[in-house]
C-alpha cells in the first residue's frame, strides 16, 4: 500500500495500515462528537435567550392589555367625554412600555434582531396600534412611524439597533382602522353625530394611502383587505346619518359656532 508524504513514497505493512486507519477513524468519530457537543451548547444558549425574551414579552403583553382596556373605555356611554383623561393615563402606561422594551434590547445581540423578531412581532404591532389610537384620540391625525418609535422608546432606523419595522407599523395602523369603525358606530349611540363624519374622512385618506403601496407581504395584504370592510362599515354609518338628517344638523351647529 502506498502513502505519499511529500516526494518520497512510503510502503507500510498491512498491520500498520490497519493501525493508521483505526486511528483516523477514531479521530473522525471524536471530531463529530465534539461538533455535536458544540451544537448542544449553541442550542442551549439560544433557548436561554428565547426564554428570557419570552418573559419580557409576557410583561409587554400585560401592559398592552391594560392600555387597550383603558382606551376602549371611549366606546362606553360617556367615554368620549373622558378622552383627555384616558389619553393622559395611557401616556403614563407607555412609560412602563419603554422600560420593558429597554429590558428586551439587552436579551439578545443587537445584530440578531430579525432572528428573534417573531417573539415580539405581535405585541409590537399591538403597541403600534395603541400608540396610533392614542394619537388619533388626541389630535385626530395619523401618527408617523417616527412618532410611534418615540412613544415606545425605540429606534425608527434599523441601523441603530432595536427598531420599529415598517411592516409592523403598517399592521398596527390597519388595526387602528378597525377600531375607528367601531368608534364610529358607538359615537352615534352616544349622540355624537359629527365624529363618524370625521372618522370617515380619515379612513378614506388612509385607504388612499395604502393603495399607493405595493404590498408583497401576504399577512399585510390580508390585513389590508380588511380595511375595505372598515371603509364600507363607516360609509353605512354616515349614510344612515345623512338620510336621518343628523349629519346636516351637526354641520349647521358647527357653522353657527364658528360664526
Amino acid at each position: 500500500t502506498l502513502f505519499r508524504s511529500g516526494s518520497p513514497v512510503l510502503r507500510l505493512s498491512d498491520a500498520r495500515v490497519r493501525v493508521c486507519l483505526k486511528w483516523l477513524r477514531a479521530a473522525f468519530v471524536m471530531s463529530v462528537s465534539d461538533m455535536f457537543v458544540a451544537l448542544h451548547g449553541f442550542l442551549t444558549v439560544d433557548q436561554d435567550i428565547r426564554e428570557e425574551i419570552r418573559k419580557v414579552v409576557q410583561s409587554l403583553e400585560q401592559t398592552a392589555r391594560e392600555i387597550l382596556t383603558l382606551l376602549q373605555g371611549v366606546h362606553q356611554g360617556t367615554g368620549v367625554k373622558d378622552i383627555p383623561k384616558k389619553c393622559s393615563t395611557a401616556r403614563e402606561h407607555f412609560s412602563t412600555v419603554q422600560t420593558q422594551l429597554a429590558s428586551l434590547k439587552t436579551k439578545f445581540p443587537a445584530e440578531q434582531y430579525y432572528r428573534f423578531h417573531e417573539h415580539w412581532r405581535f405585541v409590537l404591532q399591538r403597541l403600534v396600534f395603541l400608540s396610533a389610537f392614542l394619537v388619533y384620540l388626541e389630535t385626530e391625525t395619523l401618527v408617523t412611524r417616527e412618532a410611534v418609535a418615540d412613544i415606545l422608546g425605540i429606534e425608527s432606523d434599523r441601523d441603530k439597533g432595536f427598531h420599529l419595522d415598517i411592516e409592523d407599523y403598517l399592521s398596527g395602523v390597519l388595526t387602528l382602522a378597525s377600531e375607528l369603525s367601531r368608534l364610529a358606530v358607538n359615537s352615534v349611540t352616544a349622540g355624537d353625530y359629527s365624529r363618524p363624519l370625521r372618522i370617515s374622512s380619515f379612513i378614506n385618506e388612509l385607504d388612499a394611502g395604502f393603495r399607493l403601496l405595493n404590498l408583497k407581504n401576504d399577512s399585510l395584504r390580508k390585513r389590508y383587505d380588511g380595511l375595505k370592510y372598515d371603509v364600507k362599515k363607516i360609509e353605512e354609518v354616515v349614510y344612515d346619518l345623512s338620510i336621518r338628517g343628523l349629519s346636516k344638523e351637526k354641520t349647521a351647529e358647527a357653522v353657527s359656532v364658528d360664526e
Side-chain angles (χ1 to χ4, degrees), residues 24-245:
L24 288 172
R25 193 178 299 115
F28 177 76
V29 172
M30 183 62 69
S31 65
V32 170
S33 177
D34 289 343
M35 180 180 68
F36 276 90
V37 168
L39 288 174
H40 172 72
F42 173 81
L43 291 173
T44 300
V45 171
D46 184 78
Q47 290 168 0
D48 290 343
I49 291 175
R50 292 180 187 277
E51 182 60 30
E52 290 298 312
I53 289 174
R54 276 192 286 268
K55 290 179 182 178
V56 180
V57 168
Q58 287 176 352
S59 299
L60 277 168
E61 289 172 341
Q62 176 60 35
T63 306
R65 284 192 291 269
E66 293 172 1
I67 297 174
L68 178 62
T69 300
L70 178 65
L71 292 181
Q72 285 191 330
V74 301
H75 295 294
Q76 303 170 359
T78 59
V80 172
K81 298 179 181 179
D82 296 330
I83 284 179
K85 181 179 179 181
K86 292 181 183 300
C87 289
S88 177
T89 306
R91 288 276 181 182
E92 296 175 3
H93 280 71
F94 272 106
S95 63
T96 301
V97 171
Q98 291 182 359
T99 301
Q100 292 168 336
L101 285 173
S103 174
L104 181 58
K105 298 176 191 178
T106 66
K107 304 303 181 183
F108 63 95
E111 67 276 6
Q112 296 184 15
Y113 176 90
Y114 283 104
R115 180 181 173 192
F116 301 106
H117 178 237
E118 65 191 61
H119 290 288
W120 60 77
R121 178 176 56 192
F122 177 78
V123 70
L124 195 58
Q125 291 175 359
R126 174 58 61 88
L127 290 169
V128 170
F129 150 62
L130 293 172
S131 301
F133 192 29
L134 170 65
V135 171
Y136 179 84
L137 290 175
E138 292 175 334
T139 65
E140 296 192 357
T141 60
L142 176 63
V143 68
T144 64
R145 184 164 70 101
E146 291 74 18
V148 174
D150 185 59
I151 292 173
L152 301 180
I154 59 180
E155 302 292 340
S156 58
D157 185 350
R158 64 182 298 172
D159 294 331
K160 295 183 179 179
F162 195 100
H163 62 283
L164 175 57
D165 183 82
I166 292 177
E167 292 182 351
D168 289 339
Y169 166 74
L170 293 175
S171 293
V173 169
L174 287 171
T175 304
L176 170 67
S178 298
E179 193 71 19
L180 291 182
S181 68
R182 179 187 175 196
L183 181 60
V185 174
N186 291 328
S187 295
V188 174
T189 304
D192 184 353
Y193 304 128
S194 62
R195 188 176 296 274
L197 303 179
R198 301 196 302 273
I199 290 176
S200 177
S201 177
F202 176 82
I203 292 297
N204 283 325
E205 287 187 45
L206 196 63
D207 181 49
F210 270 94
R211 289 178 185 274
L212 297 175
L213 303 178
N214 181 22
L215 300 176
K216 296 183 178 181
N217 181 301
D218 290 340
S219 175
L220 204 53
R221 285 178 64 88
K222 291 178 181 177
R223 297 286 295 278
Y224 170 64
D225 288 339
L227 177 59
K228 302 172 186 177
Y229 296 101
D230 295 327
V231 171
K232 183 178 179 181
K233 183 177 180 180
I234 296 171
E235 286 177 345
E236 290 174 350
V237 173
V238 172
Y239 175 74
D240 187 60
L241 288 174
S242 66
I243 62 175
R244 293 171 182 268

